[in-house]
Amino acid sequence: IYPILIFNKNLMKKVFLAVAMVMGLATNAQISPKFNGDPEDFQDLKKRTLIVEVLEEDPKVLKKLDKPKKAEELKEYQSFIKEFNEDFRIYAPKYWTLNSNIEYKTTTEIDALQKSKNKSYAVLRFILLNDNGTHGLKTNLNVPALAYTRIENNRRSADSKIYLPYRALSKGKSLLEADYKYALETLQANINWIIKNDKTLHFDKYAEKMAEENCSKLKGKTILVPDYVLKDGRSKEQAIKNYGGDLKFVSDEEINNAFVTKAKNTAVLFVAPYGIVKGSAVVVQMSTLVYFKVVADCETGEVDYLYMPSGFNYGANVSDKMTETEFKTMGNCKIL
């Protein structure tokens, strides 16, 4: 699931960037950000018993990976499911507050309830947002997310969802406690905004709105950035100078500790894939993931900054790393 399809960079970003100048980049991210729930749906969902889904190994995936040359991928696949289930059982009830009653059921058990037309549950689950196949080339790329939805809806039509942070470059777990905390709390804040304002606003637009309102709050805060996020060959000193504030490159452990303990006057940078950009030329068709960068306040959890290009600007965000120029953009934001 997650480590196999997201962490496998078999589309060669360097090649993509080399030909991008002569390609017509698709203006659609190939991943739908749409929330299928409306304010009334979310009011109803809060009253339901919440099922936290326990992932199961997919027999089709196991068969596909049951080959000597796929041994490492099989190990990653099984390890991710085990790790996710163990962590989600801890962090879902710790950080999810919209529902009072929580149960845990496997994918098989949830599917059985769906087939029986049961409509009494809300479901919190891990999903993969797949390429919708528009603009020609169909890829196996996908974006990992958490979904909060009515049980009667399938994975493709979730009522709400939020993209999960990306830690392919980390030497530790696929997801930190901080990543779960950020995703769960931000999704709930998004849903509460929808209920309060009686208007459905999917995460992309919600985060953009929050960043516009909160960007100036970066001033005076220490911004913690994973030390592997700076683009190769770039200077940390120049990045700090370009940001023009208190910017620190730190380990995942420091990121996690600050966000989980709600460190005051501190915010952290999260990176997450959110779409697929495609392009075509006379002799080549290529696609790659695009990533957004979001800065969230440790104490409040609110989104203070967002860099999430769209349309023909997607090409500016095909990298999961940051340049000194991006830190300058973030620095300019705090003084507007």
Side-chain angles (χ1 to χ4, degrees):
I1 294 181
Y2 195 5
I4 293 172
L5 300 181
I6 290 299
F7 293 173
N8 182 5
K9 299 183 179 182
N10 59 355
L11 292 174
M12 300 179 299
K13 287 182 182 175
K14 289 184 179 179
V15 176
F16 180 87
L17 291 171
V19 300
M21 296 301 292
V22 294
M23 295 170 68
L25 293 179
T27 58
N28 189 309
Q30 312 302 312
I31 296 292
S32 173
K34 181 182 177 182
F35 279 20
N36 287 285
D38 59 32
E40 289 185 2
D41 293 326
F42 291 119
Q43 287 277 29
D44 172 62
L45 276 169
K46 290 174 63 176
K47 299 173 185 176
R48 297 187 181 192
T49 294
L50 177 69
I51 293 177
V52 173
E53 183 174 27
V54 179
L55 299 179
E56 297 175 302
E57 295 178 1
D58 187 334
K60 293 180 181 178
V61 175
L62 294 177
K63 183 177 180 179
K64 183 178 180 180
L65 299 180
D66 188 21
K67 302 171 185 177
K69 65 179 181 179
K70 298 284 188 178
E72 189 60 31
E73 289 184 38
L74 176 60
K75 181 180 178 181
E76 289 179 356
Y77 172 74
Q78 293 176 319
S79 295
F80 173 74
I81 289 177
K82 182 176 183 295
E83 177 188 300
F84 180 85
N85 285 338
E86 289 175 349
D87 289 346
F88 208 42
R89 183 175 282 273
I90 296 171
Y91 302 135
K94 183 175 180 178
Y95 295 116
W96 193 265
T97 60
L98 289 185
N99 299 80
S100 301
N101 300 316
I102 298 179
E103 297 180 5
Y104 300 86
K105 295 185 184 297
T106 64
T107 303
T108 299
E109 291 172 320
I110 295 172
D111 289 345
L113 287 169
Q114 285 181 317
K115 289 178 181 178
S116 68
K117 307 298 182 181
N118 188 302
K119 296 183 179 181
S120 59
Y121 291 100
V123 179
L124 185 63
R125 65 186 357 159
F126 173 89
I127 61 171
L128 287 171
L129 305 174
N130 297 315
D131 183 357
N132 61 27
T134 58
H135 295 282
L137 181 67
K138 172 77 172 178
T139 75
N140 288 325
L141 291 174
N142 50 56
V143 171
L146 293 180
Y148 176 61
T149 186
R150 289 166 286 180
I151 190 172
E152 55 266 35
N153 287 357
N154 61 37
R155 286 170 177 76
R156 290 186 301 249
S157 57
D159 287 314
S160 64
K161 54 184 177 278
I162 186 169
Y163 314 103
L164 280 169
Y166 172 88
R167 300 218 174 254
L169 301 176
S170 170
K171 296 179 181 179
K173 284 190 170 186
S174 301
L175 292 164
L176 306 174
E177 179 177 353
D179 298 327
Y180 288 103
K181 182 177 187 292
Y182 152 77
L184 292 168
E185 292 185 344
T186 303
L187 180 56
Q188 289 175 99
N190 193 166
I191 292 167
N192 283 329
W193 187 96
I194 290 171
I195 293 172
K196 179 180 179 181
N197 293 276
D198 196 28
K199 175 183 178 182
T200 299
L201 198 66
H202 58 67
F203 170 78
D204 304 51
K205 293 300 181 183
Y206 168 77
E208 183 180 89
K209 180 176 178 60
M210 293 302 102
E212 289 176 355
E213 294 177 3
N214 298 327
C215 201
S216 62
K217 295 180 181 180
L218 289 177
K219 188 175 182 179
K221 291 179 184 175
T222 298
I223 312 300
L224 304 182
V225 180
D227 53 17
Y228 50 79
V229 165
L230 185 65
K231 205 168 184 67
D232 295 343
R234 302 299 181 125
S235 164
K236 291 181 179 180
E237 291 74 21
Q238 189 60 48
I240 292 171
K241 181 178 179 181
N242 283 359
Y243 176 67
D246 192 358
L247 184 73
K248 293 183 179 180
F249 291 89
V250 300
S251 66
D252 274 346
E253 183 179 2
E254 291 172 272
I255 291 278
N256 194 64
N257 183 63
F259 201 71
V260 169
T261 62
K262 299 184 179 181
K264 293 184 178 181
N265 299 316
T266 306
V268 301
L269 175 77
F270 292 95
V271 178
Y274 70 99
I276 302 168
V277 63
K278 299 181 180 182
S280 61
V282 177
V283 296
V284 64
Q285 279 191 319
M286 297 200 71
S287 59
T288 189
L289 293 170
V290 284
Y291 304 83
F292 70 82
K293 284 89 174 182
V294 63
V295 175
D297 182 88
C298 291
E299 189 172 9
T300 66
E302 67 185 10
V303 173
D304 285 347
Y305 173 79
L306 177 73
Y307 181 64
M308 195 174 193
S310 59
F312 284 104
N313 291 321
Y314 277 128
N317 223 18
V318 296
S319 176
D320 51 346
K321 295 189 176 184
M322 290 184 69
T323 65
E324 301 98 323
T325 302
E326 288 181 80
F327 286 110
K328 187 172 184 177
T329 301
M330 188 166 72
N332 290 339
C333 168
K334 71 180 185 295
I335 59 177
L336 293 178

